[in-house]
Amino acid sequence: MEKQPAGLNPEILDFLDEGIHIVNERGITVFYNKKMAEMESMEAETVLGVPLLESFPELSSESSTLLRVLSNGESIIKEEQSYFNKYGQKITTLNSTYPLNLSDNKIWALEIAQDITELKNLYLKLNQLQEKLYVRKTSGSQTTTYTLEDVRGTSPAIKRVLKTARQAAANDSPVLLIGATGTGKELFAQGIHAASPRCNSPFVAQNCAALPDSLLEGILFGTRRGGFTGAVDRKGLFQQASGGSLLLDEIDSLSAALQAKLLRVLQEGRVRPVGGREEIEVDLRIIATMTVSPLTAIKEGRLREDLFYRLAVILLKLPPLKERRQDILPLTEYFINEYNRVFNLEVQGISERLQQIFLGYSWPGNVRQLKHVIEGAMNLIETERIINPDKVDFHLLELPEATEEQNILSGSDRTDKKLDFPAEFFDRYPTEGNSTLPELLNSWEKNYIRAILARFDGNVSQAAGELGLSRQSLQYRIKKYGIDH
């Protein structure tokens, strides 16, 4: 028996509730406390002085945390390890393993282990029940709802993406869709599938952020009976989508281990079910989505670089709504027509003031947010044919000082007084030629209010009367534009 490291008291370590296992530089066990022997159902005498891989033949130099630390000298913190002892009993432990640097320049490895075998079995049984419920809920053929013809807009930004999407649909290369929430990533994914030669085969979608890795792995790759407690033979989504397309939403939320398995599927066209030994050939197209920049995700360690290059054979960046402002009003009209049919209404459009608000708003929720705003407004419509700002839930728009703006723009606050802008006004207050319409309107309104205030020597009540506004409304605009008076 080799001499144990100085300061190591075997008797004290036998009272610990964690297992302690130490191997020397050759991988031979030199210390093995009582708790570790209980956890692994082994006699200390059969383990001490014996090479680790002889005591646990199911392990290897790659799967053993002790041997990996011996090899690279780097600590491993709380890593789960499942293995069989030489009697065929399966053990699952949570290990923290550290290198021991001895005075004679030798490196040993010390492992502190917690037995989580029963906890793991309970967890797997729970996952199995969740998976059964999930598969039952999503079973049956899945088809597409949208085509590329459902993409609305005439802006150059959306036209470019549509052109690339139609070209991509003609082949089987992987597609990576990048866009903020609400830009239409799933619509494009379904549209690409519907326009492809695979259109008559399944289209299957899975949000990778919706499920824990342990459950998602079985759902994606399938399971084999005996792979873990309660496991049965079940096809994964890769097999269910074979012949068609598989959409993996929020691909960067997959763990590094699952990303590695996905990369192998992309490279080899084969999957290995959880608990299985054989590989199954699959023929499908992968479409993936992300809401963040791939370069940012790679830098932050959320996306494997090699997986990105394999997925981004065709890369589509979907523009946010604020970069396709000329599509805002046509989209508004489209959603109004849609909800006219749903609610049996005859709304004809939105007011000019609401058009101005819509065109000047940044729409962080993009097209989806615009759709929800229109739906909310049309729920409040009674007999009106035009949607005014008072029908819009300004919490949805998240406008600064939304409550005050809502009150100011309500019908009770406005008058029918017409404001006459003299021609010389526009000469006196020129604007930049590349300004947007909302910027022009804001600039003209600010300067006109300033001119009227000057005419009445800063008297807000008199200026408000001239402008056809309430005093409150004018005060709001004075504050909004920072006008001195």
Side-chain angles (χ1 to χ4, degrees):
M1 181 70 62
E2 290 202 44
K3 185 179 179 181
Q4 294 170 348
L8 188 66
N9 189 326
E11 294 180 0
I12 293 177
L13 295 181
D14 270 338
F15 286 99
L16 295 178
D17 199 37
E18 289 84 19
I20 306 292
H21 194 161
I22 302 175
V23 297
N24 65 13
E25 75 280 2
R26 292 176 293 162
I28 295 174
T29 299
V30 296
F31 183 80
Y32 192 75
N33 77 341
K34 184 184 295 184
K35 182 63 179 180
M36 185 66 87
E38 291 176 3
M39 287 165 47
E40 298 180 329
S41 300
M42 301 283 282
E43 298 291 334
E45 292 75 17
T46 65
V47 177
L48 288 168
V50 177
L52 182 70
L53 298 185
E54 287 187 19
S55 300
F56 303 95
E58 193 71 18
L59 290 174
S60 66
S61 56
E62 290 78 25
S63 62
S64 166
T65 44
L66 279 166
L67 297 184
R68 278 162 50 199
V69 168
L70 273 186
S71 175
N72 58 33
E74 297 178 0
S75 299
I76 298 172
I77 308 299
K78 292 186 177 180
E79 180 172 307
E80 183 182 312
Q81 180 176 250
S82 293
Y83 54 99
F84 293 87
N85 63 18
K86 67 179 184 180
Y87 303 115
Q89 297 170 313
K90 186 175 183 178
I91 302 108
T92 302
T93 57
L94 190 65
N95 302 337
S96 291
T97 315
Y98 308 91
L100 294 176
N101 297 297
L102 306 184
S103 56
D104 54 1
N105 294 324
K106 291 181 179 179
I107 297 179
W108 291 7
L110 175 147
E111 185 158 272
I112 303 172
Q114 293 178 295
D115 185 7
I116 59 170
T117 303
E118 290 303 317
L119 180 63
K120 180 69 173 180
N121 286 339
L122 288 172
Y123 181 66
L124 290 173
K125 287 178 181 178
L126 176 61
N127 276 349
Q128 180 68 15
L129 290 173
Q130 287 179 312
E131 184 177 331
K132 286 179 180 178
L133 290 173
Y134 180 85
V135 171
R136 186 179 303 163
K137 181 180 177 182
T138 58
S139 62
S141 60
Q142 299 185 46
T143 58
T144 54
T145 304
Y146 302 107
T147 71
L148 292 176
E149 302 305 315
D150 293 308
V151 179
R152 304 291 167 177
T154 58
S155 63
I158 202 67
K159 279 185 173 181
R160 284 193 296 270
V161 180
L162 263 173
K163 180 180 179 181
T164 305
R166 289 192 175 100
Q167 293 170 332
N171 58 61
D172 280 341
S173 297
V175 177
L176 180 60
L177 298 166
I178 307 214
T181 299
T183 50
K185 295 184 292 296
E186 181 156 0
L187 189 157
F188 270 91
Q190 290 193 22
I192 289 171
H193 173 79
S196 75
R198 296 178 178 268
C199 61
N200 294 320
S201 296
F203 175 87
V204 180
Q206 174 61 50
N207 187 315
C208 299
L211 298 169
D213 264 11
S214 55
L215 179 56
L216 186 58
E217 183 178 14
I219 288 171
L220 288 176
F221 295 91
T223 57
R224 283 291 174 267
R225 186 182 302 276
F228 53 86
T229 305
V232 297
D233 291 335
R234 180 175 292 117
K235 290 182 178 180
L237 296 186
F238 286 108
Q239 288 178 264
Q240 293 179 36
S242 194
S245 303
L246 175 61
L247 170 62
L248 297 176
D249 198 14
E250 298 188 69
I251 192 73
D252 52 312
S253 65
L254 287 178
S255 68
L258 283 186
Q259 288 187 32
K261 291 191 71 171
L262 173 58
L263 180 63
R264 188 174 181 185
V265 175
L266 287 165
Q267 291 173 336
E268 301 178 7
R270 304 177 71 84
V271 298
R272 177 180 293 174
V274 177
R277 296 181 180 274
E278 81 288 1
E279 291 191 334
I280 300 167
E281 188 172 339
V282 290
D283 170 31
L284 76 165
R285 179 185 215 165
I286 300 292
I287 303 174
T289 76
M290 295 178 62
T291 58
V292 299
S293 161
L295 297 182
T296 300
I298 291 170
K299 185 177 180 181
E300 294 176 353
R302 293 159 50 193
L303 179 67
R304 288 176 61 116
E305 188 172 4
D306 49 2
L307 178 60
F308 165 66
Y309 290 124
R310 192 67 186 84
L311 285 172
V313 176
I314 299 171
L315 181 65
L316 290 180
K317 294 182 180 179
L318 307 190
L321 191 53
K322 65 183 179 182
E323 293 180 8
R324 41 182 295 215
R325 291 190 183 276
Q326 73 184 71
D327 293 332
I328 292 175
L329 297 184
L331 281 168
T332 299
E333 181 181 0
Y334 174 77
F335 292 137
I336 287 175
N337 290 334
E338 179 179 325
Y339 288 112
N340 273 334
R341 292 190 295 270
V342 173
F343 300 137
N344 195 27
L345 296 171
E346 295 181 358
V347 175
Q348 296 175 356
I350 63 175
S351 69
E352 289 186 10
R353 179 58 180 141
L354 192 53
Q355 288 181 31
Q356 179 185 351
I357 294 173
F358 278 14
L359 290 171
Y361 183 58
S362 62
W363 298 105
N366 297 291
V367 178
R368 183 185 298 140
Q369 183 185 10
L370 174 59
K371 180 178 182 179
H372 291 166
V373 167
I374 296 299
E375 180 183 5
M378 292 184 68
N379 270 282
L380 303 178
I381 288 289
E382 295 176 354
T383 59
E384 304 97 315
R385 296 294 182 93
I386 297 295
I387 301 175
N388 287 303
D390 63 306
K391 298 298 183 184
V392 171
D393 184 348
F394 280 81
H395 293 291
L396 288 176
L397 289 183
E398 299 175 351
L399 287 172
E401 304 186 55
T403 304
E404 187 174 4
E405 177 79 350
Q406 187 173 9
N407 292 332
I408 290 166
L409 296 176
S410 67
S412 60
D413 184 73
R414 296 204 309 261
T415 71
D416 294 329
K417 179 164 184 171
K418 182 178 180 181
L419 298 180
D420 294 316
F421 286 78
E424 60 269 20
F425 173 81
F426 298 101
D427 297 329
R428 186 181 303 173
Y429 302 110
T431 55
E432 297 295 329
N434 59 353
S435 298
T436 64
L437 177 60
E439 290 169 343
L440 290 174
L441 292 171
N442 287 335
S443 175
W444 290 334
E445 183 179 49
K446 175 182 177 180
N447 288 317
Y448 190 67
I449 290 172
R450 183 181 285 141
I452 297 299
L453 281 168
R455 184 191 303 173
F456 291 98
D457 297 322
N459 188 304
V460 175
S461 295
Q462 291 180 2
E466 177 66 18
L467 291 167
L469 297 172
S470 68
R471 180 182 173 86
Q472 180 192 19
S473 295
L474 182 55
Q475 289 282 20
Y476 168 76
R477 285 167 171 79
I478 290 171
K479 180 180 178 182
K480 173 183 176 182
Y481 295 124
I483 298 173
D484 294 325
H485 65 285

